[in-house]
Amino acid sequence: MEPRLKYYQASPEGYRALNAWQLTITNSGLERSLQELVKIRASQINGCAFCIDMHWKDAVAAGEQEDRLYLLDAWRETDMYTDRERAALAWTEALTLISETHAPDDVFEEVRAQFDDKELADLSYAIAAINAWNRLAIGFRMVAGRYQPRPTTT
């Protein structure tokens, strides 16, 4: 199986720009575990197998508990996530499904209570970025299952 188009080769400038934005978000100060949960949850909603595979593996490599990942799709029904994570996941769903939700006030108030201005902006950038990556991966049929995480440095 091969992707429809290797977009990163077809337009390396665009890829570098999106990757630079992603690196800025990664280094924003938001917890890595939170960023991975957000990436996986948005990717689940969008049905992006490539990104689910990648970020699941990255989360595990970074020390995330697998049972929390198994239950992520039903995060509202378990107490395995902190209030901060729950607010971030609700905001992720609201922004990922923006055409349906229009980012409701109650979800905004919940996330606003857990994140300061910079964190909330960075969280929203993280959600927007994974949605962009999902659209590229799905649209060009990136092949899931081949990704291997880079060794983490401690």
Side-chain angles (χ1 to χ4, degrees):
M1 185 175 225
E2 290 297 317
R4 288 176 169 169
L5 174 76
K6 294 179 180 177
Y7 65 88
Y8 45 88
Q9 291 176 350
S11 178
E13 301 84 4
Y15 177 77
R16 280 194 300 271
L18 188 54
N19 209 40
W21 184 39
Q22 183 63 62
L23 187 59
T24 299
I25 296 162
T26 299
N27 294 325
S28 69
L30 287 176
E31 307 93 300
R32 177 160 181 205
S33 60
L34 179 72
Q35 290 187 47
E36 294 302 334
L37 290 175
V38 163
K39 290 174 186 176
I40 295 167
R41 185 65 193 119
S43 298
Q44 288 173 331
I45 293 166
N46 290 324
C48 184
F50 181 84
C51 292
I52 293 169
D53 175 62
M54 172 186 283
H55 297 297
W56 182 289
K57 289 173 180 174
D58 283 345
V60 170
E64 182 60 75
Q65 299 170 10
E66 286 192 29
D67 54 348
R68 285 171 32 99
L69 297 176
Y70 295 136
L71 294 172
L72 187 56
D73 194 34
W75 63 268
R76 286 182 175 85
E77 298 178 34
T78 178
D79 62 0
M80 297 186 92
Y81 306 96
T82 66
D83 289 344
R84 181 175 168 90
E85 290 168 337
R86 295 172 77 74
L89 292 169
W91 190 238
T92 299
E93 292 178 358
L95 294 187
T96 299
L97 298 168
I98 195 78
S99 69
E100 298 171 27
T101 70
H102 300 280
D105 291 339
D106 62 325
V107 176
F108 178 77
E109 292 305 322
E110 180 185 356
V111 75
R112 191 73 185 96
Q114 295 292 326
F115 292 83
D116 66 28
D117 289 352
K118 180 185 183 314
E119 291 172 330
L120 183 51
D122 289 337
L123 174 62
S124 301
Y125 290 140
I127 296 164
I130 191 57
N131 275 281
W133 289 117
N134 287 172
R135 279 144 181 79
L136 290 166
I138 294 167
F140 293 120
R141 302 291 192 265
M142 298 299 294
V143 180
R146 299 179 186 169
Y147 176 78
Q148 293 302 313
R150 294 182 191 150
T152 56
T153 56
T154 55

